[in-house]
Amino acid sequence: MDGFFVKPIAYIQTDFKEKFGIPRQSGRARGLVGRVVFFPEYRVKDAFRRLDGFSHIWLIFDFSKSHSSEFSPTVRPPRLGGNERVGVFASRSPFRPNPLGLSCVKLVEIQESETDGVVLIVEGADLLDGTPILDIKPYLPHADCVLDAVGGYADEVENHRLEVKFDEKWAKLLPKEKWQGLLDCLADDPRPSYQDDGREYGMKFAQWNVRFKVLNGVLTIVKIEKN
């Protein structure tokens, strides 16, 4: 079958300038705030009529930094330590035949900007800054939430969280609205796999470079400096 053409309708602005550190799934770091900015032809108020009645929305997006012309039938999920392979269709890996992503985020506010038109303020997005948004759909609790659903191997690591420790001097460097989002990301364990060997990692978050170590399930912020 022939393919079909899809073009972005918007892009999202987030604090992630690189892939390392982005939460594995949406909603894992609820303190993260993003802005969905629409391209001029879609800045039509009627297109958003009654959207404010929904608490959450689905963002359908393009894994724009993971395009590949080759098909790999298996991937290595980071949450399984990066050593075990599973089928690509049993994962949410960005390396897919069609690099489409799906993210459920909280709709905080619908703003109107003189420069950007209608802008959606969202929480909990797991997207790289500048990611193209292909479509937006409202989240429907009665249809989208399956109470007895089973999450396969993902259920085994669902509750994995790190304890985060830090010196108060680091907390004073970031605005309060950024600090909680950073803590949520760190607690979600941004490392490629579970290796409690005390090595130091660096994570870019907004305009800061965050250095940290993990040992015995405790993440300690070593240093925070501006990029």
Side-chain angles (χ1 to χ4, degrees):
M1 295 179 65
D2 293 334
F4 60 94
F5 178 71
V6 176
K7 66 177 181 179
I9 62 170
Y11 62 93
I12 190 168
Q13 297 174 332
T14 71
D15 288 319
F16 297 106
K17 311 305 178 184
E18 60 181 12
K19 290 187 288 185
F20 181 73
I22 297 178
R24 311 293 183 185
Q25 304 293 339
S26 60
R28 295 284 292 182
R30 298 181 181 180
L32 296 174
V33 177
R35 298 176 77 246
V36 179
V37 181
F38 292 83
F39 293 115
E41 61 187 292
Y42 303 107
R43 297 173 185 175
V44 181
K45 289 184 180 180
D46 281 348
F48 305 90
R49 188 184 301 173
R50 300 194 68 174
L51 182 62
D52 58 354
F54 295 89
S55 65
H56 292 72
I57 56 176
W58 291 105
L59 302 180
I60 302 171
F61 62 92
D62 173 17
F63 283 114
S64 55
K65 301 298 183 182
S66 301
H67 290 186
S68 175
S69 58
E70 298 182 359
F71 170 60
S72 176
T74 62
V75 295
R76 300 175 187 265
R79 278 294 180 254
L80 293 182
N83 299 316
E84 181 180 345
R85 284 190 173 274
V86 303
V88 65
F89 300 128
S91 80
R92 294 196 175 188
S93 168
F95 302 101
R96 323 187 64 77
N98 293 304
L100 300 179
L102 184 66
S103 187
C104 181
V105 297
K106 181 179 180 180
L107 179 59
V108 178
E109 184 181 0
I110 302 177
Q111 295 182 345
E112 289 190 37
S113 165
E114 291 185 3
T115 56
D116 297 328
V118 177
V119 174
L120 305 184
I121 307 301
V122 299
E123 285 184 358
D126 54 338
L127 282 73
L128 187 69
D129 184 52
T131 293
I133 305 298
L134 304 178
D135 200 5
I136 290 174
K137 298 179 185 293
Y139 176 90
L140 304 178
H142 68 276
D144 295 338
C145 181
V146 182
L147 297 179
D148 58 350
V150 177
Y153 64 85
D155 284 347
E156 301 171 12
V157 294
E158 176 187 5
N159 297 319
H160 174 72
R161 303 286 284 182
L162 297 176
E163 178 185 355
V164 180
K165 292 187 176 181
F166 55 89
D167 191 301
E168 286 296 332
K169 66 181 180 181
W170 303 129
K172 296 177 181 178
L173 289 178
L174 277 68
K176 290 183 179 180
E177 64 272 16
K178 299 288 187 183
W179 182 248
Q180 187 56 55
L182 173 62
L183 292 182
D184 288 346
C185 290
L186 294 175
D188 198 40
D189 197 350
R191 297 173 300 162
S193 61
Y194 305 148
Q195 296 179 347
D196 288 334
D197 55 6
R199 74 177 66 182
E200 185 171 311
Y201 293 87
M203 169 182 159
K204 291 183 179 179
F205 182 78
Q207 56 184 312
W208 296 276
N209 184 27
V210 182
R211 309 294 302 183
F212 64 89
K213 294 182 178 181
V214 180
L215 191 61
N216 298 324
V218 178
L219 184 149
T220 302
I221 297 176
V222 176
K223 186 176 183 180
I224 298 180
E225 56 188 359
K226 281 200 170 184
N227 292 327

